[in-house]
Amino acid sequence: MAEHGDERSGTPSQWGYGAERLPTTLDELVGPTSGQVELPLHLAWSGLRVFDIGDVKLLLGMYRIVLNNGSRYDFVQYLDGELLVRHWPILRKMLGRGVRRTWEEAFPELLPSAAA
């Protein structure tokens, strides 16, 4: 599990995607639920940077960018907990295994079995 850091030392990898990046609860995710959002360059350095939250394709694209490239601060600022849970069944297919596993281990409500 190199994605989660060095298991022998218990320290997160500087290159991996560890749970220390995540909020404590999904309730902390209080990002916008409507309107347009412009992501900063440190998240979206090429291509589309302005996303209309009302357009599901654009919302999913924005969430994918933030989930892959963001920090705890970015997650809280740009993601909404309810929207994340609602769209997770599709989003999880758009994310790498490390990102998906880290979020689902931290938040069991995101697991596919939780949706059933």
Side-chain angles (χ1 to χ4, degrees):
M1 278 197 189
E3 296 159 339
H4 293 285
D6 184 347
E7 290 181 29
R8 292 167 290 170
S9 69
T11 59
S13 165
Q14 67 180 12
W15 306 110
Y17 193 103
E20 73 280 353
R21 291 173 65 180
L22 304 183
T24 306
T25 70
L26 293 180
D27 291 336
E28 291 179 47
L29 303 178
V30 293
T33 58
S34 64
Q36 292 196 347
V37 176
E38 182 174 356
L39 292 180
L41 283 172
H42 75 272
L43 290 175
W45 52 88
S46 70
L48 189 62
R49 290 189 48 220
V50 178
F51 300 85
D52 180 352
I53 300 295
D55 182 320
V56 173
K57 287 183 181 180
L58 292 177
L59 171 77
L60 292 172
M62 183 187 92
Y63 272 45
R64 183 179 139 290
I65 290 169
V66 174
L67 288 163
N68 282 321
N69 303 317
S71 65
R72 179 186 304 253
Y73 172 80
D74 298 314
F75 301 146
V76 170
Q77 184 170 1
Y78 295 107
L79 304 179
D80 175 77
E82 289 181 24
L83 288 176
L84 181 68
V85 170
R86 180 181 320 148
H87 295 289
W88 188 257
I90 296 169
L91 273 169
R92 71 183 309 275
K93 298 173 187 172
M94 300 168 68
L95 302 169
R97 187 177 345 172
V99 174
R100 182 177 57 242
R101 182 185 307 136
T102 301
W103 279 84
E104 289 178 349
E105 286 176 358
F107 306 108
E109 59 264 50
L110 295 176
L111 289 167
S113 59

